[in-house]
Structures are given as structure tokens and as C-alpha cells.
Amino acid sequence: SPAGGDEAELAGSALAPAPRYGELRVEEPVESHELWCAIARQLRRLAADERTEVRTCSLHTLTSILTSHGAQLSGSTWDYALFRALLPMMREVCEAAAAACATQQVAKPLGKEGGVPVLMLLHHSRDTASKQWDETWVLLLHSSTRLFRAFLPTLMARPRFSKAWARLLAFCRTSLLAARRSVEVSKAAIHALVHELLCSTVALKTPRRASSSLLAAARSPQRG
């Protein structure tokens, strides 16, 4: 959650907490901004679910609806989607992936045959909680960079774009440096970073400081 100074900035703005679904009065006309914020809020919660299939569906849904309707969204709705949904997801997914068990298999029991438990067959790349969170991490990388590329001119017009861009690049940096635990995540970060920098070069107003710090981190050797 934002620090104290940011809380005052968010109060009464598009970045203020969104109403929950239960707080929306469905019998009355609902402001489109409120509805979009409620949707983004719920999808963000589902993106942190312990079930990998729920996380995957949540991210696919958020990306799909923002891609389909992004051109019709107001700037304040985009602010909320970024700062209260997409960007916080990056931190939450990284933390969950770091805390996930990398050794215990997560195959679910399907029953017994001859008194012996029968487990669901999982591919070796998805047979632990850590590997399944890596899958979510990769999907979030693809989803977030896709949205930034698709709506870069719209997002650049927002007053807090430089902060959003810096946080996206920081997420890419963290992903790049995750090679020791997941080559899959690191490769996805390289792919995402290349496309983001190519896109931002066309836009001309890419924050140089954020880009330079990321590239410096990518070139520096890993330690520890």
C-alpha cells in the first residue's frame, strides 16, 4: 500500500480505494469508473489466489478487457487499473514466488487403485508451487508489457506515467535477475524488455533515468 504521503495524494482521486461489488447499488445507474475499478480490484485479488488456474484466468481476463476497452476508458480509470491493480500485482507475484516451496510436489490425489494413491499427472515444469508461481510471473510480464505497448500514448498523457514506467522497468529488472531461480522468468523478461524499449524509442519521451538504470542492472554480473 502507498506510503503516508501518497495516501493524501490518492484521497478523492482515481487512485482512491474502489467500491466492492457488494457496495455497488445495482438498482441504480453505476458510474462506469466505479464499475471498472471494482472489476480491477477483484481481478487483482484473484491474481494472488493459491490456485494456479485461478491466477491464470484472472490475468488473462484483466488483459483481455483492458485491451478490448482501453480506448474507451477515462484517464482516471487507467490510473486505477495501473496503480491499484497491475503494478501492485507485480510485487505480490514476486513475493509469492519467492516464498513458494520449490521441492514439495503439488500433484493432487485423484483416488486410489489397489490401495495405492493415484496422483494427477503434472509436467515436470509445473510440479511444484514455485514452478507454478513462475508461470504466473511470466504471464504477468507478458500481460503488463503488452498493455503498456498497446496504450503507451494514452498512458504517457497521465501525470504519474513516469512512476508507472519506472515500476514496470523495475519489475523487468527483478525478473532479469531471477535467472538463478528461474531461467523461464529471466528469458521472458528479456523478451518483454526488448519490446518495451523498442516501443518507447518510438514514443521519444521514455524516462531516460529509469531505462538507463535497468540496462545497467542487466549488464552487471550477478552476485551471491
Side-chain angles (χ1 to χ4, degrees), residues 39-59:
I39 293 172
R41 177 192 181 119
Q42 296 302 322
L43 289 175
R44 173 190 168 183
R45 293 180 60 191
L46 292 174
D49 194 274
E50 63 179 9
R51 295 162 294 182
T52 183
E53 60 272 18
V54 173
R55 300 195 300 267
T56 298
C57 288
S58 173
L59 287 172

Side-chain angles (χ1 to χ4, degrees), residues 1-223:
S1 60
D6 286 341
E7 288 290 357
E9 182 181 350
L10 301 183
S13 76
L15 305 183
R20 298 177 184 273
Y21 279 119
E23 297 171 353
L24 294 174
R25 302 192 178 205
V26 294
E27 70 276 5
E28 299 178 3
V30 178
E31 291 290 337
S32 60
H33 172 69
E34 290 186 353
L35 183 58
W36 275 105
C37 290
I39 293 172
R41 177 192 181 119
Q42 296 302 322
L43 289 175
R44 173 190 168 183
R45 293 180 60 191
L46 292 174
D49 194 274
E50 63 179 9
R51 295 162 294 182
T52 183
E53 60 272 18
V54 173
R55 300 195 300 267
T56 298
C57 288
S58 173
L59 287 172
H60 278 307
T61 300
L62 181 62
T63 305
S64 177
I65 61 177
L66 289 178
T67 300
S68 300
H69 303 282
Q72 287 77 46
L73 297 183
S74 67
S76 58
T77 302
W78 267 114
D79 286 345
Y80 190 94
L82 287 179
F83 287 95
R84 286 304 181 99
L86 192 64
L87 296 175
M89 279 184 196
M90 298 175 182
R91 182 191 70 251
E92 293 162 357
V93 167
C94 289
E95 291 175 351
C101 180
T103 56
Q104 183 177 359
Q105 294 197 350
V106 294
K108 298 179 180 179
L110 300 177
K112 291 186 177 181
E113 182 176 349
V116 179
V118 177
L119 301 179
M120 179 184 296
L121 184 62
L122 293 177
H123 191 269
H124 66 84
S125 65
R126 296 290 179 263
D127 59 0
T128 67
S130 178
K131 293 175 182 178
Q132 291 183 353
W133 274 104
D134 287 345
E135 179 184 20
T136 302
W137 191 335
V138 169
L139 179 57
L140 181 56
L141 266 170
H142 290 324
S143 298
S144 55
T145 53
R146 175 186 172 188
L147 288 172
F148 269 82
R149 290 198 308 271
F151 297 99
L152 189 58
T154 298
L155 300 179
M156 288 179 65
R158 304 306 301 157
R160 288 163 57 91
F161 168 75
S162 60
K163 291 184 178 181
W165 184 254
R167 287 176 66 175
L168 174 66
L169 294 184
F171 179 49
C172 289
R173 176 185 181 277
T174 300
S175 304
L176 279 169
L177 299 180
R180 294 179 67 90
R181 66 175 304 277
S182 175
V183 174
E184 179 186 12
V185 170
S186 186
K187 286 182 177 179
I190 294 172
H191 181 272
L193 179 59
V194 168
H195 284 81
E196 284 304 298
L197 292 182
L198 288 175
C199 180
S200 63
T201 299
V202 177
L204 297 178
K205 294 183 180 180
T206 303
R208 295 181 180 178
R209 185 176 179 182
S211 301
S212 299
S213 62
L214 175 61
L215 292 175
R219 289 194 297 265
S220 64
Q222 295 186 34
R223 299 175 181 174

